[in-house]
Amino acid sequence: MNDILNGLYQLWITTGLYGFIHEEKGWGMAVMILVGFLLLYLAIKKGFEPLLLIPIGMGCILSNIPYAYIAGVDPTSTHAAAGFIKILYDAGIETGLFPILIFMGVGSMTDFGPLIANPKTLLLGAAAQLGIFTALLGALCLSFIPGINFDLAVAGSIGIIGGADGPTAIYVTSRLAPAYLGSIAVAAYSYMALVPVIQPPIMKMLTTEKERKIRMSQLRPVSKVEKIIFPLMVITICALLLPSAAPLIGALMFGNLAKQCGVIGRLADTMENALMNIVTICLGLSVGSKMAADRFLNLETLGILFLGMIAFGIGTAGGVLLAKLMNKLDPKHPINPLIGAAGVSAVPMAARVASKVGQEADSQNFLLMHAMGPNVAGVIGSAVAAGTLLAVVPGMLQSLQPLLG
């Protein structure tokens, strides 16, 4: 009888219910599992970035099940042999491989034709990166609040949320501040998913109805030769000026070249479909596994979410305001300021939002192709910003180390 009772007791202390009650962070694990369910709800019911939020939500749930480290779910666990999520995390996130492969797939799905046809929209993509550096400074200011300790590396990782580019945020954070990967990745992808909610009020606040009705001239046709030369030119410029951005920009341009050259259709199709889908699954699960309660439920996470919102809003405003300034400087070739908001690199959602807001003012005003110019420019801009941070921040930290003791 004692053996039976002892066996039942041993079974009881290995259950998740026991863990929720007796583990130090048991209540936090329960909260984070509810957060995981919330992400699944937003993805399934509301349609917010389901391809990403569903794997992230499931990873969050798995990583907060008490004693799940026995199966190696928690990527930081040393209690047992590596489980499947730890293997995925080590292979794809810690090495930075998954974001690079994502960029390759994005490149194969992207048409740079609108940007080539109207090169000045590249400036709108650059202006939308203003939120990155604003959030960086904001993070350094928040570090004066007790309970928040953001150094320059963490501030740079938080700032990249403003580019509305999840893979870039993951890549930079995995290099500069891996301990904050869960919070930053969730903030980046959450705000990407909320583009249709966040951007329209900002766009309408900064523009008049007359400006929203501006019709832009039809884009010129772009030849196949131009589309082949463009990625090669971008890679060359990157190699000369910012080698630290080469992994992201190189993967993006390689994917695009594979699509545009027309002689390796099978490879381009693989990048765009099979590879992209596989990596998205692995990346989402790996990122979600970093949402463990002991690393996520703290004041710093709230600061990251707040700064991410500010960065995203300022990035949106920066693109719109620069478009208005360009109209002042060149009134003969007006730009609808709404397409400036597409400079954040949430492709193609931000371009669709710009088009939708424009059609609310004028149902016959079709801005989608015009908005794709700054939209794809934003992808390049976020990669350049990431390369700049990766090149500058480590050196600055090393220089400041003697001063900080």
Side-chain angles (χ1 to χ4, degrees), residues 9-332:
Y9 176 75
Q10 293 300 321
L11 177 62
W12 161 244
I13 64 175
T14 62
T15 62
L17 185 59
Y18 179 89
F20 287 130
I21 297 172
H22 293 280
E23 284 287 315
E24 182 181 354
K25 288 289 186 178
W27 66 270
M29 293 177 178
V31 170
M32 292 308 301
I33 287 177
L34 293 177
V35 170
F37 285 133
L38 175 62
L39 294 178
L40 295 179
Y41 170 79
L42 293 175
I44 297 170
K45 179 67 176 179
K46 301 297 183 180
F48 290 167
E49 288 288 336
L51 295 177
L52 287 166
L53 289 190
I54 289 178
I56 290 175
M58 186 58 68
C60 175
I61 293 170
L62 290 173
S63 66
N64 285 284
I65 296 175
Y67 313 130
Y69 58 75
I70 296 174
V73 168
D74 183 353
T76 63
S77 174
T78 57
H79 290 75
F84 79 103
I85 292 186
K86 179 172 173 55
I87 292 172
L88 293 177
Y89 180 87
D90 290 345
I93 300 295
E94 196 168 284
T95 62
L97 177 62
F98 287 164
I100 291 173
L101 293 179
I102 290 285
F103 257 64
M104 195 180 298
V106 169
S108 67
M109 294 189 294
T110 300
D111 181 8
F112 287 109
L115 177 60
I116 298 171
N118 192 4
K120 64 182 180 181
T121 57
L122 182 66
L123 298 175
L124 300 178
Q129 310 310 312
L130 179 65
I132 292 177
F133 300 98
T134 303
L136 187 155
L137 296 175
L140 294 176
C141 293
L142 280 186
S143 63
F144 290 101
I145 298 176
I148 296 180
N149 185 27
F150 294 147
D151 61 15
L152 186 59
V154 179
S157 300
I158 294 171
I160 208 70
I161 297 172
D165 190 335
T168 304
I170 292 172
Y171 185 79
V172 171
T173 306
S174 67
R175 292 291 185 271
L176 297 181
Y180 292 82
L181 180 61
S183 304
I184 290 174
V186 170
Y189 281 116
S190 296
Y191 294 136
M192 284 175 62
L194 291 173
V195 162
V197 176
I198 297 173
Q199 284 199 317
I202 299 173
M203 297 159 69
K204 292 177 181 179
M205 181 179 66
L206 296 177
T207 58
T208 64
E209 186 174 358
K210 181 179 179 181
E211 288 174 326
R212 294 194 290 274
K213 289 182 177 180
I214 292 176
R215 295 192 180 187
M216 299 177 63
S217 56
Q218 185 174 355
L219 295 172
R220 69 171 180 83
V222 178
S223 68
K224 181 177 179 180
V225 173
E226 289 177 288
K227 291 184 178 182
I228 292 175
I229 292 175
F230 181 79
L232 298 176
M233 181 182 67
V234 172
I235 291 174
T236 302
I237 294 173
C238 175
L240 294 174
L241 300 180
L242 195 60
S244 57
L248 292 174
I249 290 182
L252 179 71
M253 295 304 155
F254 170 58
N256 187 253
L257 180 63
K259 175 183 179 179
Q260 300 299 342
C261 69
V263 295
I264 51 172
R266 288 168 55 191
L267 299 186
D269 181 69
T270 298
M271 294 178 199
E272 184 176 343
N273 296 294
L275 180 63
M276 190 75 162
N277 292 334
I278 292 170
V279 175
T280 299
I281 293 169
C282 297
L283 183 144
L285 287 171
S286 301
V287 169
S289 72
K290 295 294 286 184
M291 296 174 64
D294 58 342
R295 294 187 295 273
F296 199 85
L297 295 178
N298 52 59
L299 188 60
E300 290 183 337
T301 298
L302 295 178
I304 289 171
L305 294 173
F306 170 74
L307 287 170
M309 175 70 77
I310 297 298
F312 195 84
I314 291 178
T316 300
V320 172
L321 293 175
L322 182 62
K324 291 166 68 77
L325 176 61
M326 292 169 69
N327 285 343
K328 295 290 185 181
L329 299 176
D330 185 14
K332 293 183 179 179

